[in-house]
Amino acid sequence: MIEKMKKVMLCTPDSPQEVDTDLTILGQLGVVHITPLQPAEDESINEVENRIKEMQTAIAALEHEEEESESPQDAAPHMELSTLKGEEISLMQKVLDTENQRIQLDKLLTEQMDALAWYQSWGEIAAGDLEALGKAGVFVRLYLLSNKEYKSVSTRTDVHQVGISGEKHQLALVSESPESRLNFDEVTLPPFPFEGLETQIGQSRDKLRAMEDKLKEFRSKKGLLLAALEELNRRY
C-alpha cells in the first residue's frame, strides 16, 4: 500500500558543519526527500555549484585520456559528502592543474609549429635584422598577395617578389621611407625567433607528453571523482 507523503519543516542549527552532519544522517535513512524551503542564494551554495563544475571538468579531462587509450576504469563505491574534503578534492585539483598545463603546452606547441612553418616559407628572417636595416635607412615590409593584388603593384620598383606560397605571392616592400606601405595587410614575423626554435619545439613536446602521462596516472582514480560528483549532485 502506498502512503501519501507528509511534508515537514526541518529546523537545523546555523552551523554548516552541523547541518551537513544532520542531512547526511537523514540521507542515510533513505526514507526522506529533502528540499530547501526556498532556493538558497549564498556563498556556500555557489561554492558547491562551482565544485560540481570543477569535478565535471576534471572527470572530462580523464575521460579524454581514457578514450585515447581505450581502457575504461571502474567507478569507485559510494561515499558520503562528509569525507569529500581530502583525497577527492586534492585529486580533483591536481587533475585540473595538470589539464590546464596540458592545454597551455598544446597551444604553445601549435604556435611554435606555426612559427617554424612560417620560417620554412619566408626564410630565416630575424626581427633584429629588420631593425638593423631600419637604423641604416632601409625599411622592409612583407606582404602576401593574390594574383589580382600582385598585378596592382607588380610594376613598382620598390616591390620585390621573394617567393610563392600556395597561390599567393610573397612580396617585400623595400623603401628608404619608414612611412612607405602597400594598401594591404602586412605580414608580421612570428613571436618566436628562428634560432633555437626546433629545440624549443622538442622541449614543448616532452613537457606535453609528461602532462599526458600524469593524466593517465590519475585516470586509475577517476572512480573517486565520479563518486564524489554523484554525492554532490545527490545532496544539492
Side-chain angles (χ1 to χ4, degrees), residues 17 28 84 96 126 147 154 182 202 220:
Q17 185 174 0
Q28 290 173 334
L84 188 59
L96 291 176
N147 285 326
S154 60
L182 298 182
S220 64

Side-chain angles (χ1 to χ4, degrees), residues 88-115:
E88 296 78 23
I89 299 302
S90 176
L91 173 62
M92 180 198 70
Q93 195 58 57
K94 289 178 181 178
V95 171
L96 291 176
D97 291 343
T98 303
E99 174 65 2
N100 183 60
Q101 292 181 59
R102 186 198 68 77
I103 292 173
Q104 295 301 319
L105 283 168
D106 187 64
K107 178 181 178 183
L108 173 62
L109 179 59
T110 298
E111 293 174 347
Q112 291 172 332
M113 293 295 294
D114 289 344

